[in-house]
Amino acid sequence: MKILVVGGGGREHTLVWKLASSPLVDKVFAAPGNAGMAESGECVDIKVDHLTRLADFAERKSVDLTVVGPEVPLALGIVDEFEKRGLKILGPTKSAAEIEGSKVFAKQFMKKHHIPTASFKIFDKPEEASDFVRASEMPLVIKADGLAAGKGAIIVEDTRSALSTIQKIMVDRIFGGAGSRVVVEDFLVGEELTVLAFTDGKTIFPMLSSQDHKKIFDGDRGPNTGGMGAYAPATVADDKTMTRIFDEVLEPTVAGLEREGRTFKGILYAGLILTEMGPKVMEFNCRFGDPETQVILPLLKTDLVEIFLSIIDGELSLQDVEWADNFAVCVVLASAGYPGKYEKDKEISGLRKARQTEDVVVFHAGTRRQKDRVFTNGGRVLGVTATDKSMDGAIQKAYSAVKKIEFEGMQYRKDIGHKATGVKKRLL
Ligand code: GLY
């Protein structure tokens, strides 16, 4: 089979790596890909939002299956475009992808289907949103309705920052049209947890739970990032919690979307807070998480191509999904300045040595190759993932590989996975 993976980050490198290991696969293309994907596949210079060019490429190369990493092409309707042409593609249609593409839709949907989430109000006029926050207790979360590259949900601690956030989103339009409406919701207190699920719109297979590390600095301090690391499975979610998440969140969401004529096929991402009252949904995404994918797929024993094909054919109920009884940890190496303005074009050394560490895979995110040298080309540069029988072992292996890699200004968190083990001491 020929496979096309759409995207160019660490999540997509993980998908390429996993799919290329399937005996069913002869060739993997990645659009636009990165230096890491170029090692197990062929990179194609097409941007993720050029839907017709991607579909033309899939037709021309007789691609058997396309897998979409990021949310933007899904929200734009890449699945509708491919299906119209009779091309196989894994992901939700544009109308099902609205569960991520519109925060207003997602909140109204959850309310209608009794899916636990924070109380909220929706505003399309900045004056009304401002009046509401003036009369509310803090903290609150203010969310731009549309897609905002993961930056559209802002926690505000006091009235002044709430008012200035409303001004920036709704009046200054820092996220463009995504800010024409906002959701203002209560701030949920508890551990964050990600639960991804395979679904064909009827059957649901939750994947192993995982925890992202959103803040730039150790101890969850500093500004938010796209994710500085992850581990799986997340020990904060016991079997009882996972059963509640299935019964109270995943099942009613998939069934509700089906009833509304928005059948969801693909990967459903539930971003949850484990509150004192039980799990509540902070956000839904319509695709794999990044960097959660980097720790989940290395633990998947079943052939991912078989799972994807059974989702597309609506036959997921006939499929087995098996997981290794191991732990995985991913440490993200980022450029100096990230998550603000960051440096690029720094040569990376030690990649080969790091890869030779037992049970370690180095996934590329923002990299580019020039002959046989690799340079930084993004904020998040690499995701060093290790697996082991124990969480401590996975942490040790990941950091021992990290120590072999160098580039100017490299920054990373030293405490990835420690929440799972209670490890407080610094490893390095
Ligand atoms: N890890 C957060 C996300 O993928 O949206």
Side-chain angles (χ1 to χ4, degrees):
M1 285 179 73
K2 288 188 212 163
I3 309 240
L4 168 63
V5 172
V6 176
R11 164 184 50 205
E12 289 79 24
H13 185 193
T14 315
L15 282 162
V16 166
W17 167 82
K18 192 72 185 171
L19 293 165
S21 73
S22 164
L24 298 170
V25 172
D26 303 304
K27 168 120 193 149
V28 184
F29 297 103
N34 61 30
M37 292 187 237
E39 284 170 18
S40 40
E42 182 181 327
C43 294
V44 186
D45 189 18
I46 307 177
K47 294 205 168 68
V48 300
D49 55 354
H50 287 182
L51 308 191
T52 49
R53 283 191 64 203
L54 289 165
D56 290 346
F57 176 84
E59 272 178 346
R60 200 166 61 248
K61 294 286 183 182
S62 306
V63 166
D64 300 290
L65 170 64
T66 297
V67 178
V68 187
E71 62 277 15
V72 168
L74 294 165
L76 289 172
I78 191 171
V79 171
D80 310 66
E81 176 66 27
F82 272 58
E83 286 181 346
K84 196 172 74 192
R85 300 190 192 197
L87 295 164
K88 272 196 189 195
I89 183 161
L90 190 275
T93 56
K94 183 175 179 169
S95 73
E98 242 194 308
I99 197 81
E100 174 168 3
S102 167
K103 308 305 167 205
V104 168
F105 169 76
K107 292 298 284 193
Q108 288 172 331
F109 174 88
M110 284 188 263
K111 189 169 178 191
K112 186 161 148 199
H113 296 277
H114 310 292
I115 295 158
T117 189
S119 307
F120 67 98
K121 292 255 185 230
I122 292 164
F123 298 97
D124 58 10
K125 295 194 177 59
E127 307 74 37
E128 289 175 11
S130 301
D131 287 346
F132 177 76
V133 300
R134 271 190 208 99
S136 302
E137 275 185 34
M138 300 288 149
L140 291 169
V141 182
I142 303 179
K143 291 177 173 173
D145 178 32
L147 292 180
K151 296 188 180 126
I154 298 168
I155 299 166
V156 289
E157 306 279 353
D158 53 47
T159 309
R160 211 169 61 160
S161 47
L163 293 173
S164 99
T165 301
I166 290 166
Q167 168 77 23
K168 283 187 206 146
I169 296 178
M170 301 189 84
V171 182
D172 306 342
R173 295 294 177 100
I174 55 169
F175 304 126
S180 60
R181 291 189 292 181
V182 292
V183 174
V184 182
E185 65 180 37
D186 285 349
F187 176 77
L188 295 173
V189 179
E191 281 286 334
E192 275 191 35
L193 179 76
T194 301
V195 178
L196 298 161
F198 297 110
T199 179
D200 62 359
K202 297 179 194 68
T203 302
I204 305 161
F205 278 111
M207 300 184 212
L208 294 177
S209 60
S210 57
Q211 259 192 321
D212 189 358
H213 296 62
K214 283 276 189 212
K215 303 280 185 185
I216 186 79
F217 299 128
D218 287 9
D220 292 331
R221 289 175 303 109
N224 263 338
T225 68
M228 291 300 290
Y231 71 92
T235 38
V236 289
D238 57 15
D239 287 351
K240 206 168 131 213
T241 306
M242 288 300 280
T243 303
R244 282 191 73 172
I245 291 167
F246 187 90
D247 292 345
E248 297 171 23
V249 175
L250 299 176
E251 202 283 327
T253 301
V254 170
L257 287 167
E258 168 82 356
R259 277 203 300 281
E260 295 198 5
R262 298 173 186 258
T263 305
F264 190 103
K265 282 184 168 193
I267 310 304
L268 181 65
Y269 173 125
L272 304 146
I273 301 286
L274 303 180
T275 71
E276 276 182 355
M277 317 267 288
K280 293 196 181 193
V281 178
M282 187 173 48
E283 62 172 355
F284 280 120
N285 293 325
C286 62
R287 37 97 191 151
F288 277 106
D290 189 343
E292 291 93 330
T293 308
Q294 288 87 313
V295 286
I296 289 173
L297 291 187
L299 300 176
L300 178 66
K301 281 166 65 177
T302 311
D303 188 328
L304 187 59
V305 179
E306 282 180 19
I307 300 176
F308 285 171
L309 292 177
S310 63
I311 290 174
I312 292 170
D313 295 342
E315 292 184 341
L316 190 58
S317 62
L318 306 177
Q319 181 69 46
D320 276 338
V321 179
E322 278 190 72
W323 300 96
D325 195 13
N326 280 345
F327 292 87
V329 170
C330 172
V331 180
V332 169
L333 309 185
S335 297
Y338 180 77
K341 199 169 164 342
Y342 54 81
E343 299 179 343
K344 284 209 268 194
D345 300 317
K346 306 292 176 195
E347 184 163 6
I348 306 170
S349 64
L351 283 170
R352 190 168 306 147
K353 267 206 225 150
R355 273 207 310 252
Q356 283 161 358
T357 318
E358 205 187 346
D359 302 320
V360 165
V361 195
V362 180
F363 294 117
H364 290 227
T367 63
R368 68 174 177 83
R369 181 175 293 278
Q370 199 175 314
K371 299 215 170 101
D372 56 355
R373 297 159 75 193
V374 179
F375 293 85
T376 66
N377 192 34
R380 288 188 294 171
V381 176
L382 299 164
V384 180
T385 296
T387 54
D388 192 75
K389 287 260 161 283
S390 75
M391 181 63 77
D392 283 318
I395 292 171
Q396 295 287 354
K397 283 179 186 168
Y399 280 103
S400 110
V402 164
K403 278 205 254 179
K404 296 173 186 164
I405 298 175
E406 272 183 54
F407 58 85
E408 195 187 312
M410 176 171 115
Q411 55 164 338
Y412 60 93
R413 277 182 62 160
K414 318 285 189 301
D415 63 349
I416 304 299
H418 292 188
K419 273 188 210 166
T421 60
V423 177
K424 292 284 184 293
K425 68 180 188 320
R426 285 167 70 101
L427 283 168
L428 301 173

